[in-house]
Amino acid sequence: MTHTASCGNAVTRECRCGGCAGSQHGWIGAVSLAEPTMAEVRADEHRASEHAWKDANKPQSKRRLTLRKSRAAIDVAKADISDWLASSFVDSSSSSSSSSSSSSSSSSSSPAELVESLGGIFSTDVFDAFCDALGVENSSKVRAEYAQKHFFCALLAELARSMEEYGDAFDRGIKKMAASLITYTIRKKNVRIPAFVADTTCEAAVSGVHKLIDNMPVVRNFKDLHRAVRILAIMTCPAPEKHEAVVRYCLKPLGQPIVEKAAEERLKVAMPDWMN
Protein backbone atom coordinates (compact mmCIF):
# COMPACT_ATOMS: atom_id res chain seq x y z
CA MET A 1 0.00 0.00 0.00
CA THR A 2 1.38 3.42 -0.96
CA HIS A 3 2.33 5.89 1.74
CA THR A 4 2.37 9.63 1.12
CA ALA A 5 5.10 12.15 1.90
CA SER A 6 2.78 13.82 4.39
CA CYS A 7 2.99 10.71 6.59
CA GLY A 8 6.75 10.72 7.02
CA ASN A 9 6.93 14.48 7.52
CA ALA A 10 3.94 14.79 9.86
CA VAL A 11 4.43 16.97 12.93
CA THR A 12 0.90 16.98 14.35
CA ARG A 13 0.29 15.61 17.83
CA GLU A 14 -2.56 13.47 16.60
CA CYS A 15 -2.55 10.93 13.81
CA ARG A 16 -5.62 9.73 11.96
CA CYS A 17 -3.93 8.52 8.81
CA GLY A 18 -6.03 6.05 6.87
CA GLY A 19 -3.04 5.30 4.67
CA CYS A 20 -0.13 4.24 6.89
CA ALA A 21 -2.11 3.69 10.13
CA GLY A 22 0.59 5.70 11.89
CA SER A 23 3.49 3.45 10.81
CA GLN A 24 5.23 6.36 9.07
CA HIS A 25 4.07 9.22 11.24
CA GLY A 26 6.88 11.75 11.49
CA TRP A 27 9.91 9.48 11.68
CA ILE A 28 11.20 10.10 8.15
CA GLY A 29 11.24 13.84 8.72
CA ALA A 30 12.79 13.35 12.15
CA VAL A 31 15.60 11.19 10.73
CA SER A 32 16.26 13.76 8.01
CA LEU A 33 17.07 16.32 10.72
CA ALA A 34 20.31 14.41 11.35
CA GLU A 35 21.66 15.40 7.96
CA PRO A 36 24.51 17.97 8.02
CA THR A 37 22.50 20.40 5.89
CA MET A 38 19.79 20.59 8.57
CA ALA A 39 21.90 22.25 11.29
CA GLU A 40 19.95 25.52 11.18
CA VAL A 41 16.62 23.70 11.35
CA ARG A 42 17.82 21.76 14.41
CA ALA A 43 18.87 25.02 16.03
CA ASP A 44 15.42 26.45 15.35
CA GLU A 45 13.82 23.34 16.90
CA HIS A 46 15.92 23.80 20.03
CA ARG A 47 15.02 27.47 20.34
CA ALA A 48 11.33 26.72 19.87
CA SER A 49 11.37 23.95 22.50
CA GLU A 50 13.18 26.16 24.99
CA HIS A 51 10.67 28.95 24.43
CA ALA A 52 7.75 26.53 24.86
CA TRP A 53 9.23 25.26 28.15
CA LYS A 54 9.68 28.76 29.54
CA ASP A 55 6.19 29.73 28.45
CA ALA A 56 4.69 26.64 30.10
CA ASN A 57 6.46 27.48 33.37
CA LYS A 58 5.35 31.06 33.84
CA PRO A 59 4.32 32.03 37.40
CA GLN A 60 0.61 31.76 36.64
CA SER A 61 1.00 28.01 36.15
CA LYS A 62 1.23 27.70 39.96
CA ARG A 63 3.43 24.62 39.56
CA ARG A 64 0.59 22.53 38.27
CA LEU A 65 1.44 19.61 36.02
CA THR A 66 -0.02 20.68 32.71
CA LEU A 67 -0.16 19.15 29.25
CA ARG A 68 1.77 22.16 27.99
CA LYS A 69 4.66 21.35 30.32
CA SER A 70 4.69 17.74 29.22
CA ARG A 71 4.66 18.70 25.56
CA ALA A 72 7.45 21.22 26.04
CA ALA A 73 9.58 18.71 27.97
CA ILE A 74 9.09 16.12 25.25
CA ASP A 75 10.06 18.63 22.56
CA VAL A 76 13.27 19.52 24.40
CA ALA A 77 14.18 15.83 24.66
CA LYS A 78 13.39 15.21 20.98
CA ALA A 79 15.59 18.16 20.02
CA ASP A 80 18.42 16.57 22.02
CA ILE A 81 17.87 13.27 20.20
CA SER A 82 18.08 15.05 16.85
CA ASP A 83 21.35 16.69 17.86
CA TRP A 84 22.81 13.37 19.03
CA LEU A 85 21.84 11.61 15.80
CA ALA A 86 23.39 14.47 13.85
CA SER A 87 26.66 14.30 15.78
CA SER A 88 26.84 10.53 15.40
CA PHE A 89 26.11 10.89 11.68
CA VAL A 90 29.04 13.27 11.30
CA ASP A 91 31.32 11.01 13.38
CA SER A 92 30.37 7.97 11.31
CA SER A 93 30.92 9.81 8.03
CA SER A 94 34.34 10.97 9.18
CA SER A 95 35.30 7.46 10.24
CA SER A 96 34.14 6.04 6.92
CA SER A 97 36.05 8.58 4.81
CA SER A 98 39.27 8.11 6.76
CA SER A 99 39.20 4.32 6.50
CA SER A 100 40.63 2.56 3.46
CA SER A 101 38.98 -0.74 4.30
CA SER A 102 35.98 -1.69 2.16
CA SER A 103 34.47 -3.49 5.16
CA SER A 104 34.42 -0.35 7.29
CA SER A 105 30.84 0.57 6.28
CA SER A 106 29.31 -1.95 8.69
CA SER A 107 31.10 -0.43 11.67
CA SER A 108 30.78 3.22 10.69
CA SER A 109 27.12 3.37 9.57
CA SER A 110 25.32 5.94 11.64
CA PRO A 111 22.59 5.42 14.26
CA ALA A 112 20.32 7.59 12.10
CA GLU A 113 20.70 5.10 9.24
CA LEU A 114 19.87 2.25 11.59
CA VAL A 115 16.70 4.03 12.75
CA GLU A 116 15.82 4.64 9.11
CA SER A 117 16.31 0.96 8.23
CA LEU A 118 14.21 -0.12 11.18
CA GLY A 119 11.49 2.37 10.28
CA GLY A 120 11.46 0.94 6.77
CA ILE A 121 10.84 -2.54 8.17
CA PHE A 122 7.90 -1.33 10.26
CA SER A 123 6.30 0.72 7.49
CA THR A 124 6.56 -2.14 4.97
CA ASP A 125 6.83 -5.68 6.36
CA VAL A 126 5.06 -5.04 9.65
CA PHE A 127 2.48 -2.75 8.06
CA ASP A 128 1.72 -5.39 5.41
CA ALA A 129 1.27 -8.05 8.10
CA PHE A 130 -1.02 -5.68 9.96
CA CYS A 131 -3.17 -5.19 6.84
CA ASP A 132 -3.28 -8.95 6.24
CA ALA A 133 -4.40 -9.51 9.82
CA LEU A 134 -7.23 -7.04 9.39
CA GLY A 135 -8.41 -8.94 6.33
CA VAL A 136 -11.82 -7.76 5.13
CA GLU A 137 -11.74 -5.02 7.77
CA ASN A 138 -8.65 -3.46 6.17
CA SER A 139 -10.09 -0.11 5.15
CA SER A 140 -8.98 3.50 5.33
CA LYS A 141 -11.42 4.11 8.17
CA VAL A 142 -10.16 1.20 10.27
CA ARG A 143 -6.50 2.08 9.66
CA ALA A 144 -7.24 5.65 10.73
CA GLU A 145 -8.70 4.31 13.98
CA TYR A 146 -5.51 2.35 14.67
CA ALA A 147 -3.43 5.44 13.94
CA GLN A 148 -5.49 7.43 16.42
CA LYS A 149 -4.91 4.68 18.98
CA HIS A 150 -1.10 4.94 18.65
CA PHE A 151 -0.91 1.31 17.57
CA PHE A 152 2.51 1.31 15.90
CA CYS A 153 4.30 3.28 18.61
CA ALA A 154 2.65 0.98 21.18
CA LEU A 155 4.07 -1.99 19.26
CA LEU A 156 7.54 -0.43 19.21
CA ALA A 157 7.37 0.34 22.94
CA GLU A 158 6.43 -3.26 23.69
CA LEU A 159 9.28 -4.48 21.48
CA ALA A 160 11.68 -2.22 23.41
CA ARG A 161 10.39 -3.62 26.70
CA SER A 162 10.78 -7.20 25.43
CA MET A 163 14.37 -6.48 24.34
CA GLU A 164 15.06 -5.04 27.80
CA GLU A 165 13.67 -8.14 29.51
CA TYR A 166 14.92 -10.90 27.22
CA GLY A 167 18.08 -9.41 25.70
CA ASP A 168 19.05 -10.77 22.31
CA ALA A 169 16.59 -13.66 22.78
CA PHE A 170 13.75 -11.13 22.62
CA ASP A 171 11.73 -13.35 20.28
CA ARG A 172 10.84 -15.35 23.39
CA GLY A 173 8.72 -12.43 24.49
CA ILE A 174 6.33 -12.45 21.52
CA LYS A 175 3.40 -13.82 23.51
CA LYS A 176 3.96 -11.31 26.29
CA MET A 177 4.24 -8.48 23.77
CA ALA A 178 0.99 -9.51 22.15
CA ALA A 179 -0.79 -9.80 25.48
CA SER A 180 0.30 -6.28 26.39
CA LEU A 181 -0.91 -4.93 23.05
CA ILE A 182 -4.38 -6.40 23.41
CA THR A 183 -5.09 -3.78 26.08
CA TYR A 184 -2.94 -0.68 26.52
CA THR A 185 -3.46 2.88 27.67
CA ILE A 186 -3.31 6.25 25.94
CA ARG A 187 -3.84 9.20 28.25
CA LYS A 188 -5.77 7.20 30.86
CA LYS A 189 -8.04 5.64 28.24
CA ASN A 190 -7.91 1.90 27.66
CA VAL A 191 -7.43 0.75 24.08
CA ARG A 192 -8.44 -2.75 23.03
CA ILE A 193 -6.91 -4.52 20.04
CA PRO A 194 -8.09 -7.87 18.63
CA ALA A 195 -5.77 -10.70 19.65
CA PHE A 196 -5.13 -11.83 16.06
CA VAL A 197 -3.91 -8.34 15.12
CA ALA A 198 -1.62 -8.16 18.15
CA ASP A 199 -0.26 -11.67 17.55
CA THR A 200 0.38 -11.15 13.85
CA THR A 201 2.05 -7.76 14.13
CA CYS A 202 4.26 -8.80 17.06
CA GLU A 203 5.48 -11.81 15.08
CA ALA A 204 6.11 -9.61 12.05
CA ALA A 205 7.98 -7.05 14.15
CA VAL A 206 10.30 -9.64 15.65
CA SER A 207 10.81 -11.32 12.28
CA GLY A 208 11.59 -7.97 10.67
CA VAL A 209 14.16 -7.09 13.30
CA HIS A 210 15.84 -10.47 12.89
CA LYS A 211 15.94 -9.88 9.13
CA LEU A 212 17.63 -6.56 9.78
CA ILE A 213 20.17 -8.26 12.03
CA ASP A 214 20.91 -10.92 9.42
CA ASN A 215 20.99 -8.79 6.27
CA MET A 216 21.79 -5.18 7.10
CA PRO A 217 25.46 -4.33 7.75
CA VAL A 218 24.32 -1.21 9.59
CA VAL A 219 23.47 -3.35 12.63
CA ARG A 220 26.57 -3.45 14.78
CA ASN A 221 25.34 -4.96 18.03
CA PHE A 222 22.23 -5.57 20.07
CA LYS A 223 22.65 -2.40 22.12
CA ASP A 224 22.61 -0.29 18.94
CA LEU A 225 19.49 -2.03 17.72
CA HIS A 226 17.68 -1.65 21.05
CA ARG A 227 18.48 2.05 21.09
CA ALA A 228 17.18 2.39 17.52
CA VAL A 229 13.87 0.77 18.50
CA ARG A 230 13.49 3.26 21.33
CA ILE A 231 14.32 6.26 19.17
CA LEU A 232 11.97 5.13 16.40
CA ALA A 233 9.13 4.76 18.93
CA ILE A 234 9.68 8.32 20.14
CA MET A 235 9.85 9.66 16.58
CA THR A 236 6.76 7.74 15.46
CA CYS A 237 4.57 8.57 18.45
CA PRO A 238 2.40 11.63 17.70
CA ALA A 239 2.21 12.60 21.37
CA PRO A 240 4.58 10.80 23.78
CA GLU A 241 3.26 13.04 26.57
CA LYS A 242 0.03 11.01 26.33
CA HIS A 243 1.65 7.61 25.86
CA GLU A 244 3.16 6.22 29.05
CA ALA A 245 4.78 3.16 27.48
CA VAL A 246 6.77 5.27 25.01
CA VAL A 247 8.05 7.51 27.81
CA ARG A 248 8.68 4.69 30.31
CA TYR A 249 10.26 2.09 28.00
CA CYS A 250 11.80 4.26 25.30
CA LEU A 251 12.50 7.84 26.37
CA LYS A 252 13.40 7.34 30.02
CA PRO A 253 16.13 4.69 29.37
CA LEU A 254 17.96 6.74 26.72
CA GLY A 255 19.68 9.11 29.13
CA GLN A 256 22.94 10.89 28.46
CA PRO A 257 24.58 11.64 26.08
CA ILE A 258 21.47 11.28 23.91
CA VAL A 259 19.08 13.19 26.17
CA GLU A 260 20.86 15.89 28.13
CA LYS A 261 20.60 16.14 31.91
CA ALA A 262 18.58 19.35 31.74
CA ALA A 263 16.00 17.68 29.49
CA GLU A 264 15.81 14.67 31.81
CA GLU A 265 15.11 16.94 34.76
CA ARG A 266 12.34 18.71 32.87
CA LEU A 267 10.76 15.37 31.97
CA LYS A 268 10.82 14.40 35.65
CA VAL A 269 9.15 17.66 36.58
CA ALA A 270 6.48 17.35 33.89
CA MET A 271 5.86 13.58 34.10
CA PRO A 272 7.11 12.39 37.49
CA ASP A 273 5.06 9.19 37.58
CA TRP A 274 6.47 8.00 34.26
CA MET A 275 10.06 9.17 34.70
CA ASN A 276 10.80 8.17 38.29
Side-chain angles (χ1 to χ4, degrees):
M1 188 165 298
T2 303
H3 301 300
T4 65
S6 60
C7 295
N9 294 313
V11 295
T12 58
R13 289 193 119 93
E14 186 171 355
C15 180
R16 296 183 180 181
C17 182
C20 75
S23 63
Q24 277 202 351
H25 186 92
W27 67 260
I28 294 175
V31 168
S32 72
L33 284 176
E35 296 174 4
T37 57
M38 300 295 284
E40 289 187 13
V41 179
R42 290 195 303 274
D44 288 341
E45 294 277 336
H46 252 299
R47 282 191 288 270
S49 64
E50 288 291 337
H51 177 77
W53 175 258
K54 292 177 181 177
D55 194 49
N57 284 272
K58 289 180 178 178
Q60 56 265 37
S61 66
K62 298 181 180 178
R63 299 191 178 182
R64 290 179 300 174
L65 299 181
T66 65
L67 185 58
R68 288 178 64 202
K69 277 187 182 181
S70 298
R71 286 177 173 175
I74 290 290
D75 287 347
V76 171
K78 289 174 74 172
D80 282 351
I81 293 170
S82 294
D83 282 346
W84 181 81
L85 286 175
S87 64
S88 65
F89 183 89
V90 172
D91 290 344
S92 296
S93 298
S94 299
S95 298
S96 179
S97 63
S98 63
S99 174
S100 59
S101 172
S102 61
S103 63
S104 65
S105 60
S106 62
S107 61
S108 62
S109 296
S110 74
E113 291 172 308
L114 178 52
V115 173
E116 184 176 24
S117 297
L118 185 65
I121 291 288
F122 270 79
S123 61
T124 54
D125 294 9
V126 181
F127 176 75
D128 288 346
F130 162 76
C131 290
D132 288 344
L134 290 177
V136 295
E137 294 184 0
N138 182 30
S139 66
S140 178
K141 179 180 178 181
V142 171
R143 292 192 299 272
E145 290 173 353
Y146 276 85
Q148 188 176 12
K149 294 173 181 176
H150 290 228
F151 177 75
F152 274 90
C153 47
L155 175 59
L156 282 160
E158 289 303 326
L159 177 61
R161 178 160 69 161
S162 181
M163 294 172 80
E164 179 71 28
E165 183 172 349
Y166 293 95
D168 57 10
F170 61 96
D171 52 337
R172 295 177 185 173
I174 289 178
K175 290 184 178 179
K176 189 171 181 179
M177 286 171 58
S180 297
L181 271 182
I182 290 171
T183 302
Y184 58 93
T185 304
I186 299 294
R187 201 183 178 188
K188 300 180 181 179
K189 294 182 180 179
N190 288 333
V191 175
R192 291 198 60 82
I193 300 296
F196 65 89
V197 174
D199 290 339
T200 300
T201 52
C202 284
E203 290 172 4
V206 171
S207 176
V209 171
H210 277 301
K211 184 173 76 172
L212 193 61
I213 292 172
D214 293 338
N215 299 322
M216 296 294 290
V218 73
V219 179
R220 292 166 296 184
N221 57 54
F222 181 79
K223 182 178 178 181
D224 294 334
L225 182 60
H226 193 188
R227 181 179 59 207
V229 170
R230 286 170 167 160
I231 291 175
L232 181 62
I234 297 163
M235 289 178 168
T236 303
C237 186
E241 65 273 7
K242 298 180 181 179
H243 197 161
E244 179 178 358
V246 170
V247 173
R248 187 177 293 279
Y249 306 126
C250 301
L251 182 52
K252 178 182 175 181
L254 283 183
Q256 299 179 70
I258 302 174
V259 177
E260 296 292 341
K261 185 68 174 178
E264 282 189 298
E265 292 303 317
R266 291 175 182 182
L267 289 165
K268 290 177 181 178
V269 169
M271 294 174 281
D273 292 342
W274 298 355
M275 285 294 297
N276 293 312

